[in-house]
Structure formats: C-alpha cells, structure tokens
Amino acid sequence: MTRLLPGVLLCAGVTLAAVALARIEAALFGRAWLEALVLAILLGAAIRTAWTPGPRWKPGIDFSAKMLLEVAVVLLGASLSAATVLAVGPGLLVGIAVVVAIAIGASYGLCRLFGLPARMAVLVACGNSICGNSAIAAVAPVVGASGKDVAASIAFTAVLGVAVVLLLPLLVPALGLSMGQYGVLAGLTVYAVPQVLAATAPMGALSVQVGTLVKLVRVLMLGPVVVVLSLLAPRLRGDGAAGARPPLHRLVPWFILGFLGLAALRSLGLLPEVLLAPAAALATVLTTISMAALGLGVDLRSVARSGGRVVGAAVASLLVLGAISLGLIRLLGVA
C-alpha cells in the first residue's frame, strides 16, 4: 500500500478535477459534452506532457491503469440482465449481433487500410461498434494495448461521440425516419448510454425507450467479443506463435469471467436491487481513475503525431456502422 498510495492518489486527484470540469460544463451548457472519463484521460495526458512522474509514482499509476480497470469491467456485468435482452425480440436481437460483428470486421479492415497498428485497430473497431470508451477500456488489457493506443482511441472517439449526438437528429427529416426507427439507429450508432439519451430525447419518449434498450443489448455484445479476442490475443500481442492455442487459464481473462458471472447472477435475480446502483457508480469511478492513470502514461505530442490516421479511420468506421444500421432497420421493417 505504501508503494501504491502516491500514484493512486495522483490518479484520484486527476479524477476529481475531471469530475469538477464536467460539472462546470453541465452548469454552463446544460450537459457535459465531454464526460469526466474523457476529461480524466486528457488531463492526465496534459500533465504527463508537462511533467514525467518518477519512480515514486509509477507503481500506483500502473495499478490504477490495470487492476482498477479490470475490477470496473467486472462490476459492469451487474448492469446487464437476460430479461432486458429478451425484451428486444429475437429478430432485432440477432440483427444487433450481426451488425456488431460486421461493423467490427469492417472497422478493423478500414483501420488497417489507414495504417493503424493491429492493436489500435482493434480498439477503434470495438469502440465504434460496441460502446465507445467502455469497450476500449475492456478490450485493451485483453489484446495488450499500450496506454498510448488507449489514449488516442478514447480521445478521438470521444470527439466523434459528441459529433454524433449533435448531428444524428438531422437524419430524422432527411431520411424520413419514424421515432422507433430513429431509436434503433441511435442505439446502434451512439457510443455511450448517456449519449443515447442526449441524442434521442429531442425526438420523444419512444425514441428514448427504444434507443436505450437497443444500446443495452449492444453493450451485451462486449462479453462475447472479448472472449473471442482473448483467443486471438497471442497473435495481436505478438507474443505467441500464429495459430498457437493459449493455455487454458489464459483463454478468458479473470475479469471477463467476473463480468459474465455478475451478468448471470443479475439475470437469475440473485443480485439484490439495492446493490445495482452502487455497483454501477463504483464501476464508473474506477474506470475514470484508470483512464487518468492511462493518460499519465502518455505524452500528448506522441498521440498527436498519429492523430490524422486515427480520426480518418474512426470516421470511416462510423459511417460504415451507420450504413449497416440503416440497412438492418429497412430489412426488419422497424416501424
């Protein structure tokens, strides 16, 4: 604890500053366009650019970036239940899974065409296709992504997330979408659940309800995707022979088992309702602290040098996701 405390406290301090800035945003503009999680990584990276933490700080920063993040991923499982998934209906449920799978493959291919390294391409593809920052944070330790890759992916997808929230409602009159259709589109394309609420609220209660439900099912795809990526991890990390089967204990990381276990307990009604809100709040806090830690390990100047390629790849991937989502809406005849 003595070794970890200085670095953990530094990350916590950055997190408090990020939360304060987010609240100032909300007070000035009515909502926080940049969430505390994003602000934490940007503040951490800004501090790292001006000052390099010495050996005293490193153990706590590393602990916050890895262990706290993995615990946060486990706690996210408490927010998902089978009842929520089944309420969507079998057709749309299968459609969401297909959209996520196609979008990840297409996004990964586009990222590689833009010259991004394999691990960063995976981060951008999963962030765009599943749930933005949370997906990037969950996938990063599985594929062995560096703090630089995580910081760049989150920073640029955060900017795109704000742009999507602002621009997506314009498609309602342009494409003649109904409120239900728009809710499905928002749920399939917007990154975070709060952003889905922001994007659908101007369109009415039906759009909010449909969009939130679709988004929650889309988040559920994170578990299976991470399980698949854990099988591919040796190739992505470059630390194993191509096609080599990893040891049994490395097939699925412990925190993914924990995530799936909590989701199963929630589905079976074995998690007390009183614990759900605190678990979600704690997951948010731990994720934000871990993002501050990742930011403290990244020099913004190095991120900026690869910025153009990341933005281009993320925008192209997002456009592909939007096109696939509109295709699903037309195919299923969503009213």
Side-chain angles (χ1 to χ4, degrees), residues 26 54 84 112 121 131 145 176 182 192 246 263 271 278 296 322:
T84 299
R112 296 295 281 159
C131 52
Y182 177 71
L271 283 182
L296 287 167

Side-chain angles (χ1 to χ4, degrees), residues 65-183:
K66 186 177 187 298
M67 182 56 68
L68 294 187
L69 177 57
E70 293 175 349
V71 173
V73 172
V74 172
L75 293 174
L76 286 174
S79 63
L80 301 172
S81 69
T84 299
V85 177
L86 294 176
V88 175
L92 186 55
L93 179 60
V94 173
I96 293 170
V98 171
V99 165
V100 169
I102 294 175
I104 288 177
S107 296
Y108 179 81
L110 285 169
C111 289
R112 296 295 281 159
L113 285 177
F114 274 85
L116 298 187
R119 281 173 286 191
M120 181 179 279
V122 171
L123 295 183
V124 174
C126 292
N128 271 2
S129 305
I130 306 175
C131 52
N133 300 330
S134 298
I136 292 171
V139 167
V142 176
V143 300
S146 67
K148 173 185 172 182
D149 290 344
V150 174
S153 302
I154 285 182
F156 293 118
T157 54
V159 174
L160 286 177
V162 173
V164 170
V165 169
L166 293 174
L167 298 177
L168 200 62
L170 300 179
L171 294 180
V172 174
L175 299 178
L177 299 175
S178 68
M179 297 301 97
Q181 291 172 335
Y182 177 71

Side-chain angles (χ1 to χ4, degrees), residues 266-281:
R266 170 74 188 280
S267 300
L268 295 171
L270 299 178
L271 283 182
E273 290 289 330
V274 70
L275 295 180
L276 300 182

